Structures are given as structure tokens and as C-alpha cells.
Amino acid sequence: MTMTPRKKIIIDTDPGQDDAVAILLALASPELEVLGVTTVAGNVPLALTSRNALMVCELAGRRDIPVYAGADRPLLKTLVTAEFVHGKTGLDGPTLPEPTMALAKGHAVDFLIDTLMREDSGSVILCPLGPLTNIALALAREPRVAARIERIVLMGGGGFEGGNITPAAEFNIYVDPHAADLVFRSGVAITMAPLDVTHQALTTRARVAAIRALGTSLGEAVAQWLEFFERFDEQKYGQEGGPLHDPCVIAWLLRPELFTGRDCHVAIETASPLTQGMTVIDWWGVTGQAANAHVLGGLDADGFYALITERLARFG
Ligand code: RIB
Ligand code: CA
């Protein structure tokens, strides 16, 4: 039986409860080789996103995973954070021990560049789950990496769903629209998981109960993260559960058949005070501009949660 080679990925993240579940999903999946985790300021400041990434790797029993701290602010804008969603630590919910793992030495952007220049060209997938600052800095610092990245699979943006931090903009893109603009113009193959698909991945009571029913301390921690994280969106959208955004990135790598989507041209608004951070997705191809992203639109939500629950069970 020919084994499919493991996909080599780097997760760039601003944990965030949903980032945490995405990292756990990746670490539980033998199809993926996580070369490292890079952190960026976003949901909470960099010191906390870095602490949180270490905590998640430790919770997964993966002290071997190098975690590199990256950009502490967007390229040009002043940092906007989201404690109102994720709590003051960014991982509010369960009480977990402070990490004993140390950050890897060096800057995340140097790790991204060094890894992409070392690994076989076209063999590394980048999985940004937060603002795209680190990715943009790597592309600007070393333009040769663009041709060496297999694909960027990112959570960000919104189409028909609109925005979540402003009426027009989704948080990750809004925090650093200039970085997003550089990434979407880079020519690198992109798969984009916008709010249109992540809002179909709701943390309903039954889905959280299934994770809690794993009966493990990790399952309990995840259930408490989801119960904390979902409150904001439940109040805002008036529906049961909140959208579990970031694990859509990892789930697409593992089981792309859970998703539908189409190749579209995507442009980023960087200037307008009214719509800065908006992702203008040409879903109907009216501009005639060449597609620069595969934009996800549909999700088998039950299959998505079955995958997450089954993989979380592997931590024992
Ligand atoms: O808008 C949702 C995105 O913003 C997710 O990545 C969440 O973690 C926050 O970073
Ligand atoms: Ca995130």
C-alpha cells in the first residue's frame, strides 16, 4: 500500500481558542508534519499569542514543536486586538498551567524564510490563522520564497457574509490589510476560508457535548474553550453556537471533500476608512481578472465536527 507522503506545514497563529483547536487538530493528524508554529499579534498581543501557542503544544504533549515569536504589530496600522471575543488571555475558558516550554530562539520571519529556502521547493504549506503580517514580511524580506511555497491555506476575509469586526471586514484581514494585499498579490497559490464557510461551523451544544464526552482533560479543556469563545457570536448573531473559524484551514488539508469552493479573483481594500480590510471576492467572475485564490464556500459541518472529535480522541 503506497503511503501518501505527509504534508509539511507551518502554522502561523494568534491563539485564540479557535486557533488552539486548529493546532490540536494538526498535531493529532499523522497526514501532517508540523515543521513549526509562528506567532503573530492579533486576537491578543504577541506576548500572549506566543504564550498561548506554547500552552497548546504542551497540552498536546508536543514539546518538540518549535514555536517562534513574530510580528508584534501590523505592517502599517496600529494593532487592534479582540479580547472582547477571546478574553484577556486570548485562551479564556479552562484554567491551564503556564507553559514550561520556551520559545525557539530567533524571529518567526527568519524561521519561515530559512525553512522555505531549506526544504524542497514546493513542499511546504503555510497555514496562517491570524493577521498575515509574518507571511507578508517573509515575502518582502526574501522574494525567492514565493516560488517555493506549495500553497497558503488561510482563514480570513468574507464575501456574501460581510465582515465581523466592521460591516465590511473580517478581523484577520482588518488587523493588517496591507499584509493581506501583499499576500494576495504574491502569485502564491492560496486557499481562503472566509466567514462564508466558517460561519457554517457552529459550536452547537451537541457538538461541544461530543467533545466533552471524550472524557479526557484535553477534551474538557477544548469544550471549555468553545463554551467561552461562542458567547460573543451567539449574542451577536442570535443562533446556537459560535463559528469555529481556524480549524477549517487544517480540515481542508485533511479532508478537502468536506468543502466546496471556486477559484476567484480576490482584492483587498487597504485605503478606504469605510471598508478597509474588505476582501472583494469576484465570486461571479464579473471583473474578468485571473483568479488568485480558491475560495471556500460550502461545508459539511457534521463531517467537520466528526473529524475534529475523532482526532482529539487520539490524544487519549
Ligand atoms: O475573524 C476570525 C478570525 O479572527 C479567527 O482567526 C480568530 O481566531 C480571529 O483571529
Ligand atoms: Ca486566529
Side-chain angles (χ1 to χ4, degrees):
M1 179 182 76
T2 53
M3 291 287 287
T4 314
R6 299 176 77 191
K7 293 182 173 76
K8 293 179 179 177
I9 71 170
I10 296 173
I11 299 174
D12 187 72
T13 180
D14 65 333
Q17 292 88 349
D18 60 321
D19 302 67
V21 178
I23 295 167
L24 291 175
L25 179 59
L27 294 177
S29 299
E31 303 92 324
L32 305 176
E33 180 184 357
V34 180
L35 299 178
V37 172
T38 52
T39 61
V40 65
N43 283 322
V44 286
L46 180 69
L48 279 171
T49 59
S50 301
R51 165 216 183 242
N52 294 345
L54 291 169
M55 277 173 69
V56 175
C57 289
E58 214 158 297
L59 179 67
R62 295 298 304 276
R63 300 174 61 86
D64 59 303
I65 300 290
V67 178
Y68 291 86
D72 65 357
R73 72 199 68 182
L75 297 182
L76 300 177
K77 283 181 69 178
T78 302
L79 177 64
V80 169
T81 53
E83 288 86 349
F84 58 93
V85 177
H86 300 276
K88 66 181 183 336
T89 71
L91 280 187
D92 284 25
T95 303
L96 293 172
E98 284 303 307
T100 59
M101 275 174 72
L103 285 170
K105 296 213 177 325
H107 194 282
V109 174
D110 293 326
F111 170 73
L112 287 164
I113 293 170
D114 295 347
T115 304
L116 288 164
M117 296 308 288
R118 180 188 70 243
E119 295 291 331
D120 292 346
S121 182
S123 70
V124 177
I125 296 166
L126 303 186
C127 300
L129 309 178
L132 291 163
T133 316
N134 288 335
I135 313 303
L137 287 169
L139 289 164
R141 268 272 314 282
E142 180 44 86
R144 287 181 297 168
V145 299
R148 301 182 66 86
I149 300 168
E150 179 180 348
R151 177 171 287 269
I152 295 172
V153 186
L154 64 90
M155 189 278 140
F160 302 107
E161 192 69 13
N164 59 1
I165 186 77
T166 76
E170 175 280 325
F171 180 79
N172 289 340
I173 308 299
Y174 178 75
V175 168
D176 199 339
H178 304 96
D181 185 41
L182 195 154
V183 169
F184 277 84
R185 291 176 187 273
S186 68
V188 176
I190 294 172
T191 295
M192 173 186 186
L195 296 178
D196 304 74
V197 72
T198 68
H199 279 196
Q200 298 175 51
L202 297 178
T203 59
T204 63
R205 302 290 179 270
R207 289 164 178 165
V208 175
I211 291 171
R212 177 167 276 123
L214 292 174
T216 62
S217 53
L218 183 141
E220 180 58 30
V222 171
Q224 290 184 30
W225 275 332
L226 299 189
E227 287 168 339
F228 182 91
F229 159 82
E230 70 191 10
R231 337 152 340 282
F232 175 78
D233 285 288
E234 281 189 328
Q235 284 155 21
K236 177 177 175 180
Y237 296 105
Q239 54 193 28
E240 182 188 331
L244 194 56
H245 306 283
D246 294 337
C248 289
V249 167
I250 305 302
W252 184 80
L253 287 174
L254 295 171
R255 293 199 47 203
E257 69 276 11
L258 291 175
F259 299 83
T260 59
R262 67 173 68 169
D263 294 342
C264 303
H265 182 267
V266 179
I268 313 295
E269 174 58 59
T270 57
S272 159
L274 178 63
T275 58
Q276 188 180 52
M278 181 177 185
T279 51
V280 182
I281 301 173
D282 187 3
W283 188 258
W284 303 113
V286 298
T287 66
Q289 290 183 278
N292 58 345
H294 181 72
V295 181
L296 302 181
L299 172 68
D300 168 359
D302 288 334
F304 173 72
Y305 275 92
L307 172 67
I308 290 174
T309 308
E310 184 273 318
R311 293 296 162 103
L312 292 179
R314 298 187 184 195
F315 286 108

